Short mmCIF file of all heavy atoms in Angstrom, two decimals:
data_model
loop_
_atom_site.label_atom_id
_atom_site.label_comp_id
_atom_site.label_asym_id
_atom_site.label_seq_id
_atom_site.Cartn_x
_atom_site.Cartn_y
_atom_site.Cartn_z
N ILE B 208 62.72 86.40 172.00
CA ILE B 208 63.56 87.27 172.85
C ILE B 208 62.69 88.30 173.57
O ILE B 208 62.88 88.57 174.75
CB ILE B 208 64.64 87.98 171.99
CG1 ILE B 208 65.72 86.98 171.57
CG2 ILE B 208 65.25 89.17 172.73
CD1 ILE B 208 66.84 87.57 170.72
N GLY B 209 61.72 88.87 172.86
CA GLY B 209 60.89 89.93 173.43
C GLY B 209 59.85 89.43 174.42
O GLY B 209 59.09 90.22 174.97
N GLY B 210 59.80 88.12 174.64
CA GLY B 210 58.93 87.61 175.71
C GLY B 210 57.83 86.68 175.27
O GLY B 210 57.01 86.26 176.10
N PHE B 211 57.77 86.32 173.97
CA PHE B 211 56.79 85.32 173.56
C PHE B 211 57.24 83.94 174.06
O PHE B 211 58.41 83.72 174.36
CB PHE B 211 56.60 85.33 172.03
CG PHE B 211 55.49 86.27 171.62
CD1 PHE B 211 55.52 87.60 172.00
CD2 PHE B 211 54.40 85.82 170.90
CE1 PHE B 211 54.49 88.46 171.66
CE2 PHE B 211 53.35 86.67 170.55
CZ PHE B 211 53.40 87.99 170.93
N ASP B 212 56.27 83.02 174.14
CA ASP B 212 56.58 81.71 174.71
C ASP B 212 56.88 80.66 173.67
O ASP B 212 57.57 79.67 173.96
CB ASP B 212 55.38 81.22 175.55
CG ASP B 212 55.12 82.14 176.73
OD1 ASP B 212 56.01 82.19 177.60
OD2 ASP B 212 54.08 82.80 176.76
N ALA B 213 56.33 80.82 172.47
CA ALA B 213 56.45 79.76 171.48
C ALA B 213 56.11 80.32 170.11
O ALA B 213 55.62 81.44 169.97
CB ALA B 213 55.50 78.60 171.83
N THR B 214 56.38 79.52 169.09
CA THR B 214 56.06 79.89 167.71
C THR B 214 55.40 78.71 167.01
O THR B 214 55.56 77.56 167.44
CB THR B 214 57.34 80.29 166.95
OG1 THR B 214 57.00 80.61 165.58
CG2 THR B 214 58.37 79.16 166.91
N SER B 215 54.69 79.02 165.92
CA SER B 215 54.15 77.95 165.08
C SER B 215 55.13 77.55 163.98
O SER B 215 54.92 76.57 163.29
CB SER B 215 52.85 78.42 164.41
OG SER B 215 53.11 79.48 163.51
N ASN B 216 56.22 78.32 163.84
CA ASN B 216 57.15 78.18 162.71
C ASN B 216 58.15 77.04 162.98
O ASN B 216 59.07 77.18 163.78
CB ASN B 216 57.87 79.52 162.54
CG ASN B 216 58.88 79.53 161.43
OD1 ASN B 216 59.31 78.48 160.94
ND2 ASN B 216 59.29 80.73 161.03
N VAL B 217 57.94 75.92 162.30
CA VAL B 217 58.73 74.72 162.58
C VAL B 217 60.21 74.95 162.27
O VAL B 217 61.09 74.52 163.03
CB VAL B 217 58.17 73.52 161.77
CG1 VAL B 217 58.98 72.26 162.08
CG2 VAL B 217 56.70 73.29 162.11
N ALA B 218 60.50 75.64 161.17
CA ALA B 218 61.90 75.90 160.82
C ALA B 218 62.59 76.71 161.92
O ALA B 218 63.73 76.42 162.30
CB ALA B 218 61.99 76.63 159.48
N ALA B 219 61.90 77.71 162.44
CA ALA B 219 62.48 78.52 163.52
C ALA B 219 62.67 77.69 164.78
O ALA B 219 63.65 77.84 165.51
CB ALA B 219 61.60 79.73 163.80
N GLY B 220 61.71 76.81 165.03
CA GLY B 220 61.85 75.91 166.18
C GLY B 220 63.11 75.08 166.06
O GLY B 220 63.84 74.88 167.03
N ARG B 221 63.38 74.61 164.86
CA ARG B 221 64.56 73.79 164.66
C ARG B 221 65.85 74.61 164.71
O ARG B 221 66.82 74.22 165.35
CB ARG B 221 64.45 73.08 163.31
CG ARG B 221 65.64 72.20 163.05
CD ARG B 221 65.37 71.19 161.96
NE ARG B 221 66.55 70.36 161.79
CZ ARG B 221 67.26 70.29 160.67
NH1 ARG B 221 66.90 70.99 159.62
NH2 ARG B 221 68.32 69.52 160.60
N PHE B 222 65.84 75.76 164.04
CA PHE B 222 67.06 76.59 164.02
C PHE B 222 67.46 77.05 165.41
O PHE B 222 68.63 77.09 165.75
CB PHE B 222 66.85 77.84 163.15
CG PHE B 222 67.13 77.63 161.70
CD1 PHE B 222 66.17 77.90 160.74
CD2 PHE B 222 68.37 77.17 161.26
CE1 PHE B 222 66.42 77.72 159.39
CE2 PHE B 222 68.63 76.99 159.91
CZ PHE B 222 67.65 77.26 158.97
N PHE B 223 66.48 77.47 166.19
CA PHE B 223 66.79 78.20 167.42
C PHE B 223 66.35 77.50 168.70
O PHE B 223 66.56 78.02 169.79
CB PHE B 223 66.16 79.60 167.37
CG PHE B 223 66.47 80.36 166.11
CD1 PHE B 223 65.45 80.78 165.25
CD2 PHE B 223 67.79 80.66 165.78
CE1 PHE B 223 65.74 81.47 164.10
CE2 PHE B 223 68.08 81.36 164.62
CZ PHE B 223 67.06 81.77 163.77
N GLY B 224 65.70 76.35 168.57
CA GLY B 224 65.24 75.66 169.77
C GLY B 224 64.07 76.34 170.46
O GLY B 224 63.89 76.18 171.67
N ILE B 225 63.30 77.09 169.72
CA ILE B 225 62.13 77.77 170.30
C ILE B 225 60.99 76.75 170.43
O ILE B 225 60.76 75.97 169.51
CB ILE B 225 61.67 78.93 169.39
CG1 ILE B 225 62.83 79.90 169.17
CG2 ILE B 225 60.47 79.66 169.98
CD1 ILE B 225 62.54 80.93 168.09
N PRO B 226 60.26 76.74 171.56
CA PRO B 226 59.13 75.82 171.69
C PRO B 226 58.12 76.01 170.56
O PRO B 226 57.87 77.14 170.13
CB PRO B 226 58.51 76.20 173.04
CG PRO B 226 59.62 76.85 173.81
CD PRO B 226 60.48 77.55 172.79
N LEU B 227 57.56 74.91 170.09
CA LEU B 227 56.59 74.95 168.98
C LEU B 227 55.18 74.69 169.50
O LEU B 227 54.98 73.82 170.33
CB LEU B 227 56.96 73.89 167.95
CG LEU B 227 58.20 74.21 167.10
CD1 LEU B 227 58.67 72.98 166.34
CD2 LEU B 227 57.89 75.35 166.13
N ARG B 228 54.24 75.46 168.99
CA ARG B 228 52.84 75.26 169.37
C ARG B 228 51.95 75.46 168.14
O ARG B 228 52.30 76.18 167.22
CB ARG B 228 52.41 76.29 170.42
CG ARG B 228 53.01 76.10 171.80
CD ARG B 228 52.47 74.87 172.53
NE ARG B 228 53.08 74.73 173.84
CZ ARG B 228 54.30 74.25 174.08
NH1 ARG B 228 55.07 73.85 173.07
NH2 ARG B 228 54.77 74.18 175.30
N GLY B 229 50.80 74.81 168.17
CA GLY B 229 49.87 75.01 167.06
C GLY B 229 48.51 74.48 167.42
O GLY B 229 48.32 73.82 168.44
N THR B 230 47.55 74.74 166.56
CA THR B 230 46.17 74.30 166.78
C THR B 230 45.79 73.42 165.58
O THR B 230 46.46 72.46 165.29
CB THR B 230 45.25 75.53 166.93
OG1 THR B 230 45.34 76.32 165.75
CG2 THR B 230 45.67 76.37 168.13
N HIS B 231 44.70 73.74 164.91
CA HIS B 231 44.42 73.14 163.60
C HIS B 231 43.58 74.13 162.82
O HIS B 231 43.11 75.13 163.37
CB HIS B 231 43.74 71.78 163.74
CG HIS B 231 42.40 71.82 164.39
ND1 HIS B 231 41.29 72.39 163.80
CD2 HIS B 231 41.98 71.38 165.59
CE1 HIS B 231 40.26 72.30 164.61
NE2 HIS B 231 40.65 71.70 165.72
N SER B 232 43.41 73.88 161.53
CA SER B 232 42.75 74.89 160.69
C SER B 232 41.31 74.51 160.41
O SER B 232 40.87 73.39 160.67
CB SER B 232 43.51 75.04 159.38
OG SER B 232 43.23 73.96 158.51
N HIS B 233 40.57 75.47 159.85
CA HIS B 233 39.19 75.21 159.44
C HIS B 233 39.12 74.10 158.41
O HIS B 233 38.18 73.33 158.38
CB HIS B 233 38.57 76.49 158.86
CG HIS B 233 38.52 77.61 159.84
ND1 HIS B 233 39.47 78.61 159.85
CD2 HIS B 233 37.67 77.88 160.85
CE1 HIS B 233 39.19 79.45 160.83
NE2 HIS B 233 38.11 79.05 161.45
N ALA B 234 40.15 74.06 157.55
CA ALA B 234 40.15 73.06 156.48
C ALA B 234 40.09 71.65 157.06
O ALA B 234 39.44 70.77 156.50
CB ALA B 234 41.39 73.22 155.61
N PHE B 235 40.76 71.47 158.18
CA PHE B 235 40.77 70.14 158.79
C PHE B 235 39.34 69.71 159.17
O PHE B 235 38.92 68.59 158.92
CB PHE B 235 41.67 70.14 160.03
CG PHE B 235 41.79 68.79 160.67
CD1 PHE B 235 42.55 67.80 160.09
CD2 PHE B 235 41.13 68.50 161.86
CE1 PHE B 235 42.66 66.54 160.67
CE2 PHE B 235 41.23 67.25 162.45
CZ PHE B 235 42.00 66.27 161.85
N VAL B 236 38.63 70.64 159.79
CA VAL B 236 37.25 70.34 160.20
C VAL B 236 36.39 70.07 158.97
O VAL B 236 35.68 69.06 158.90
CB VAL B 236 36.66 71.51 161.01
CG1 VAL B 236 35.22 71.24 161.40
CG2 VAL B 236 37.52 71.77 162.26
N SER B 237 36.50 70.97 157.97
CA SER B 237 35.58 70.83 156.84
C SER B 237 36.01 69.74 155.86
O SER B 237 35.28 69.44 154.92
CB SER B 237 35.40 72.18 156.12
OG SER B 237 36.62 72.65 155.62
N SER B 238 37.17 69.14 156.10
CA SER B 238 37.57 68.03 155.23
C SER B 238 36.76 66.76 155.57
O SER B 238 36.71 65.83 154.78
CB SER B 238 39.06 67.75 155.35
OG SER B 238 39.35 67.05 156.54
N TYR B 239 36.14 66.74 156.74
CA TYR B 239 35.31 65.59 157.14
C TYR B 239 33.85 65.85 156.78
O TYR B 239 33.32 66.92 157.06
CB TYR B 239 35.43 65.33 158.64
CG TYR B 239 36.72 64.66 159.02
CD1 TYR B 239 37.86 65.41 159.29
CD2 TYR B 239 36.81 63.27 159.08
CE1 TYR B 239 39.06 64.80 159.62
CE2 TYR B 239 38.01 62.66 159.42
CZ TYR B 239 39.13 63.42 159.69
OH TYR B 239 40.31 62.81 160.00
N MET B 240 33.22 64.86 156.16
CA MET B 240 31.83 65.04 155.78
C MET B 240 30.89 64.44 156.81
O MET B 240 29.79 64.93 157.03
CB MET B 240 31.58 64.38 154.43
CG MET B 240 32.60 64.86 153.42
SD MET B 240 31.98 64.90 151.76
CE MET B 240 33.53 65.06 150.89
N SER B 241 31.29 63.34 157.44
CA SER B 241 30.43 62.74 158.46
C SER B 241 31.28 61.82 159.33
O SER B 241 32.44 61.52 159.00
CB SER B 241 29.31 61.93 157.82
OG SER B 241 29.81 60.68 157.40
N LEU B 242 30.70 61.36 160.41
CA LEU B 242 31.41 60.45 161.32
C LEU B 242 31.74 59.12 160.64
O LEU B 242 32.64 58.41 161.08
CB LEU B 242 30.58 60.22 162.58
CG LEU B 242 30.45 61.43 163.51
CD1 LEU B 242 29.54 61.10 164.70
CD2 LEU B 242 31.83 61.86 164.03
N ASP B 243 30.98 58.82 159.56
CA ASP B 243 31.23 57.56 158.86
C ASP B 243 32.65 57.50 158.29
O ASP B 243 33.16 56.42 158.00
CB ASP B 243 30.25 57.39 157.69
CG ASP B 243 28.81 57.39 158.18
OD1 ASP B 243 28.61 57.11 159.39
OD2 ASP B 243 27.91 57.69 157.38
N GLU B 244 33.22 58.69 158.08
CA GLU B 244 34.57 58.71 157.51
C GLU B 244 35.62 58.19 158.47
O GLU B 244 36.75 57.92 158.06
CB GLU B 244 34.95 60.13 157.11
CG GLU B 244 34.33 60.55 155.81
CD GLU B 244 34.95 61.84 155.34
OE1 GLU B 244 36.19 61.90 155.20
OE2 GLU B 244 34.19 62.80 155.13
N ILE B 245 35.29 58.15 159.75
CA ILE B 245 36.29 57.71 160.71
C ILE B 245 36.32 56.18 160.71
O ILE B 245 35.43 55.54 161.28
CB ILE B 245 36.00 58.28 162.12
CG1 ILE B 245 35.96 59.81 162.01
CG2 ILE B 245 37.05 57.83 163.12
CD1 ILE B 245 35.51 60.51 163.26
N VAL B 246 37.29 55.64 160.04
CA VAL B 246 37.36 54.19 159.84
C VAL B 246 37.96 53.51 161.07
O VAL B 246 37.40 52.55 161.59
CB VAL B 246 38.20 53.88 158.58
CG1 VAL B 246 38.20 52.38 158.31
CG2 VAL B 246 37.67 54.65 157.38
N GLU B 247 39.07 54.05 161.52
CA GLU B 247 39.75 53.48 162.67
C GLU B 247 39.15 54.10 163.93
O GLU B 247 39.41 55.26 164.24
CB GLU B 247 41.26 53.79 162.56
CG GLU B 247 42.09 53.47 163.78
CD GLU B 247 41.99 51.99 164.18
OE1 GLU B 247 42.10 51.13 163.30
OE2 GLU B 247 41.80 51.73 165.38
N LYS B 248 38.33 53.31 164.64
CA LYS B 248 37.58 53.89 165.76
C LYS B 248 38.15 53.53 167.12
O LYS B 248 37.70 54.03 168.14
CB LYS B 248 36.11 53.46 165.68
CG LYS B 248 35.43 54.05 164.45
CD LYS B 248 33.94 53.79 164.42
CE LYS B 248 33.39 54.51 163.18
NZ LYS B 248 32.00 54.19 162.89
N SER B 249 39.12 52.61 167.15
CA SER B 249 39.61 52.17 168.46
C SER B 249 40.68 53.14 168.98
O SER B 249 41.35 53.82 168.22
CB SER B 249 40.19 50.76 168.35
OG SER B 249 41.42 50.82 167.66
N LEU B 250 40.80 53.21 170.29
CA LEU B 250 41.84 54.04 170.91
C LEU B 250 42.28 53.36 172.20
O LEU B 250 41.46 53.02 173.06
CB LEU B 250 41.30 55.45 171.22
CG LEU B 250 42.30 56.41 171.84
CD1 LEU B 250 43.46 56.71 170.90
CD2 LEU B 250 41.62 57.72 172.24
N GLN B 251 43.61 53.17 172.29
CA GLN B 251 44.16 52.60 173.50
C GLN B 251 44.19 53.65 174.60
O GLN B 251 44.36 54.83 174.33
CB GLN B 251 45.59 52.13 173.21
CG GLN B 251 45.92 50.81 173.87
CD GLN B 251 47.30 50.33 173.54
OE1 GLN B 251 48.22 51.13 173.38
NE2 GLN B 251 47.46 49.02 173.46
N SER B 252 44.04 53.22 175.83
CA SER B 252 44.14 54.18 176.93
C SER B 252 45.58 54.66 177.05
O SER B 252 46.50 54.03 176.56
CB SER B 252 43.68 53.54 178.24
OG SER B 252 44.58 52.51 178.59
N SER B 253 45.73 55.82 177.72
CA SER B 253 47.05 56.46 177.73
C SER B 253 48.11 55.58 178.39
O SER B 253 49.27 55.63 178.02
CB SER B 253 46.98 57.81 178.44
OG SER B 253 46.76 57.62 179.82
N ASP B 254 47.70 54.77 179.36
CA ASP B 254 48.70 53.91 180.02
C ASP B 254 48.83 52.55 179.33
O ASP B 254 49.57 51.68 179.79
CB ASP B 254 48.36 53.74 181.50
CG ASP B 254 46.99 53.09 181.71
OD1 ASP B 254 46.37 52.69 180.70
OD2 ASP B 254 46.55 53.02 182.86
N GLY B 255 48.08 52.37 178.25
CA GLY B 255 48.20 51.13 177.48
C GLY B 255 47.50 49.94 178.10
O GLY B 255 47.56 48.82 177.57
N SER B 256 46.82 50.15 179.24
CA SER B 256 46.27 49.02 179.99
C SER B 256 44.97 48.48 179.39
O SER B 256 44.58 47.35 179.62
CB SER B 256 46.02 49.44 181.44
OG SER B 256 45.00 50.43 181.48
N SER B 257 44.28 49.35 178.62
CA SER B 257 43.01 48.90 178.05
C SER B 257 42.81 49.56 176.70
O SER B 257 43.55 50.44 176.30
CB SER B 257 41.86 49.27 178.99
OG SER B 257 41.79 50.69 179.08
N SER B 258 41.77 49.16 176.01
CA SER B 258 41.52 49.72 174.71
C SER B 258 40.03 49.95 174.53
O SER B 258 39.20 49.12 174.94
CB SER B 258 42.06 48.79 173.63
OG SER B 258 41.90 49.39 172.36
N CYS B 259 39.66 51.10 173.97
CA CYS B 259 38.27 51.40 173.67
C CYS B 259 38.05 51.03 172.21
O CYS B 259 38.71 51.56 171.32
CB CYS B 259 38.01 52.88 173.92
SG CYS B 259 36.44 53.46 173.30
N GLU B 260 37.12 50.10 171.96
CA GLU B 260 36.95 49.61 170.59
C GLU B 260 36.27 50.64 169.70
O GLU B 260 36.51 50.72 168.51
CB GLU B 260 36.13 48.30 170.59
CG GLU B 260 36.90 47.11 171.13
CD GLU B 260 38.30 47.01 170.57
OE1 GLU B 260 38.45 46.97 169.33
OE2 GLU B 260 39.28 47.00 171.38
N ASP B 261 35.36 51.43 170.28
CA ASP B 261 34.64 52.43 169.47
C ASP B 261 34.66 53.77 170.19
O ASP B 261 33.74 54.14 170.91
CB ASP B 261 33.20 51.96 169.21
CG ASP B 261 32.51 52.85 168.19
OD1 ASP B 261 33.06 53.94 167.87
OD2 ASP B 261 31.42 52.47 167.71
#
Side-chain angles (χ1 to χ4, degrees):
Chain B
I208 287 180
F211 269 56
D212 297 295
T214 178
S215 65
N216 179 344
V217 181
R221 180 162 182 242
F222 274 124
F223 309 119
I225 304 169
L227 287 167
R228 289 290 180 282
T230 58
H231 63 69
S232 77
H233 299 98
F235 183 75
V236 178
S237 61
S238 77
Y239 283 87
M240 308 211 194
S241 79
L242 290 177
D243 300 339
E244 281 191 56
I245 303 173
V246 184
E247 171 58 47
K248 294 187 177 171
S249 72
L250 181 64
Q251 220 178 34
S252 66
S253 70
D254 60 5
S256 65
S257 63
S258 185
C259 169
E260 288 314 304
D261 189 348

